[in-house]
Amino acid sequence: EDCFFTAKTSFFRSAPNKVPAKNVTQTIEEEKPAPLTTQEIKQKIEKYNAKVTNCLLMKLNDDGTYTGFIKVHLKLRRPVTVPAGIRPQSIYDALKEVNLAEMTDKRASFYLPLDAIKQLHISSTTTVSEVIQGLLKKFMVVDNPQKFALFKEMRKDGQVLFQKLPLTEFPLYLRLLAGPDTDVLSFVLKENETGEVEWDAFSIPELQNFLMILDKEEKDKIQQVQKKYEKFKQRLQQTL
């Protein structure tokens, strides 16, 4: 599976959009469409595959379920916790389902590049919760999954809208309804900042790590402001 990275180092710099747009995160109330029949699913898969320009096709199974691919953009502004000194997972480890994170108790903070994209092969029965857990496992992230949320990104009236998906939603079904065009619909993994995180579920070392992260963010922000006004001061002095 390919993973494409666009390296960025700033905490506060938002990822550039393809077109000038205003990012809006909001909850959109939508009426749930009636469940599709097997025949309707078959027809939609055929239409979907006809629009696919690569080999990432959907496949209908005999039991009525189907499999396919989704791409998830990782837009995490804060570091994640990973095992310290652990080598990347090999094909052998993946086949043997070896959990490298359990091989050491040492932890380190790591910044995933903004706008990293991970491609996942999932089933129509795969839930949002399972997608989040699968992404964390692939990157060997040991943070509590409750820290993260999966959003669907849509464009409407010149705005980029983010809707947080419930943990029981099926991303591949949404992909099928929207078609393969990621400009119509894409998936984004972000921090869960809605106040729904149960902090009691975290260990003392994790909470201490959060405080260290916030302290670093504060210092970096102060440095950014100081550099901004120092340059402004220099330009004024040159003009005078």
Side-chain angles (χ1 to χ4, degrees):
E1 295 178 351
D2 296 329
C3 184
F4 306 95
F5 294 104
T6 300
K8 294 194 183 292
T9 57
S10 173
F11 288 67
F12 303 91
R13 187 182 308 160
S14 300
N17 298 315
K18 295 181 180 179
V19 296
K22 179 181 180 181
N23 290 340
V24 178
T25 302
Q26 63 184 47
T27 300
I28 304 172
E29 297 295 335
E30 296 179 339
E31 294 184 1
K32 286 286 184 180
L36 300 177
T37 64
T38 303
Q39 184 61 30
E40 289 174 332
I41 291 176
K42 181 180 179 180
Q43 293 174 352
K44 283 191 173 295
I45 290 178
E46 290 175 351
K47 292 181 179 179
Y48 181 97
N49 289 340
K51 297 178 181 178
V52 171
T53 57
N54 48 38
C55 59
L56 307 181
L57 303 175
M58 287 199 187
K59 179 182 178 181
L60 180 64
N61 302 319
D62 295 335
D63 60 1
T65 62
Y66 49 96
T67 57
F69 296 85
I70 63 170
K71 290 183 179 180
V72 181
H73 297 247
L74 279 68
K75 295 185 178 181
L76 302 177
R77 297 172 58 188
R78 294 177 179 174
V80 294
T81 305
V82 297
I86 293 293
R87 57 179 171 78
Q89 189 178 43
S90 66
I91 296 178
Y92 174 83
D93 295 330
L95 293 175
K96 296 295 183 180
E97 296 185 352
V98 176
N99 190 347
L100 297 177
E102 295 179 352
M103 298 175 63
T104 179
D105 292 330
K106 297 181 180 180
R107 298 290 183 259
S109 294
F110 175 76
Y111 288 90
L112 290 175
L114 284 178
D115 265 357
I117 300 176
K118 190 64 178 177
Q119 185 172 280
L120 298 175
H121 183 255
I122 63 174
S123 165
S124 57
T125 60
T126 304
T127 63
V128 165
S129 177
E130 292 170 333
V131 167
I132 294 174
Q133 294 179 41
L135 286 169
L136 299 183
K137 183 177 180 180
K138 286 181 180 296
F139 285 98
M140 291 192 294
V141 175
V142 296
D143 290 308
N144 193 313
Q146 294 182 20
K147 289 176 56 180
F148 308 93
L150 190 68
F151 292 76
K152 68 176 182 179
E153 178 181 331
M154 302 162 290
R155 296 178 183 274
K156 183 178 181 181
D157 299 330
Q159 291 186 329
V160 178
L161 305 178
F162 291 92
Q163 179 187 359
K164 180 181 175 182
L165 296 174
L167 295 176
T168 55
E169 184 63 88
F170 303 107
L172 192 61
Y173 177 71
L174 299 178
R175 181 79 278 162
L176 176 63
L177 294 181
D181 189 354
T182 54
D183 287 336
V184 176
L185 170 71
S186 58
F187 297 103
V188 180
L189 183 72
K190 302 172 67 176
E191 283 88 359
N192 188 359
E193 298 179 345
T194 61
E196 299 175 3
V197 179
E198 297 179 4
W199 296 107
D200 293 339
F202 296 96
S203 65
I204 296 298
E206 285 179 319
L207 294 174
Q208 291 174 338
N209 190 41
F210 296 158
L211 291 176
M212 292 175 60
I213 292 170
L214 292 174
D215 182 61
K216 179 172 175 54
E217 287 184 346
E218 180 182 24
K219 291 180 179 179
D220 286 351
K221 186 63 177 179
I222 291 174
Q223 290 179 358
Q224 289 178 12
V225 174
Q226 288 176 336
K227 289 181 180 179
K228 173 183 176 181
Y229 285 98
E230 182 64 28
K231 290 181 179 179
F232 185 61
K233 179 180 178 181
Q234 291 176 358
R235 291 176 182 175
L236 283 177
Q237 289 176 339
Q238 291 173 358
T239 302
L240 291 174

